[in-house]
Amino acid sequence: MGVEQLKSKISEIMWSLPFMGAEWPESWFNARKDIETLKENTLSFLKFQDICNAHGISRNDLIIFSQYLHDLGFIVTGK
């Protein structure tokens, strides 16, 4: 009882969260796909930088991109 209302409320709250519906540059999307295919559980900053460089992500955008991935829970950064 009330499951549909709960689903609706969760969806409403989810879409109001930061980054939901945000469009990423194709280079970010492709870099994330490459990271997902790695077998390792950890990723050094240098390896992350290499992947980003391979996709044409600038140093400034690399920092923003890593923060997005961190905020989304995809990676954990050492800040």
Side-chain angles (χ1 to χ4, degrees), residues 30-48:
N30 291 332
R32 179 182 169 162
K33 284 194 324 189
D34 281 359
I35 294 167
E36 288 175 341
T37 65
L38 298 174
K39 303 277 190 250
E40 301 87 13
N41 290 327
T42 60
L43 177 65
S44 71
F45 181 76
L46 290 176
K47 178 70 175 173
F48 179 75

Side-chain angles (χ1 to χ4, degrees), residues 35-79:
I35 294 167
E36 288 175 341
T37 65
L38 298 174
K39 303 277 190 250
E40 301 87 13
N41 290 327
T42 60
L43 177 65
S44 71
F45 181 76
L46 290 176
K47 178 70 175 173
F48 179 75
Q49 189 174 24
D50 287 345
I51 291 170
C52 290
N53 288 341
H55 290 283
I57 299 171
S58 71
R59 172 76 174 165
N60 288 339
D61 285 348
L62 178 146
I63 301 302
I64 296 166
F65 177 50
S66 69
Q67 188 61 51
Y68 264 80
L69 293 178
H70 175 83
D71 290 346
L72 291 170
F74 182 72
I75 65 171
V76 177
T77 62
K79 292 191 180 186

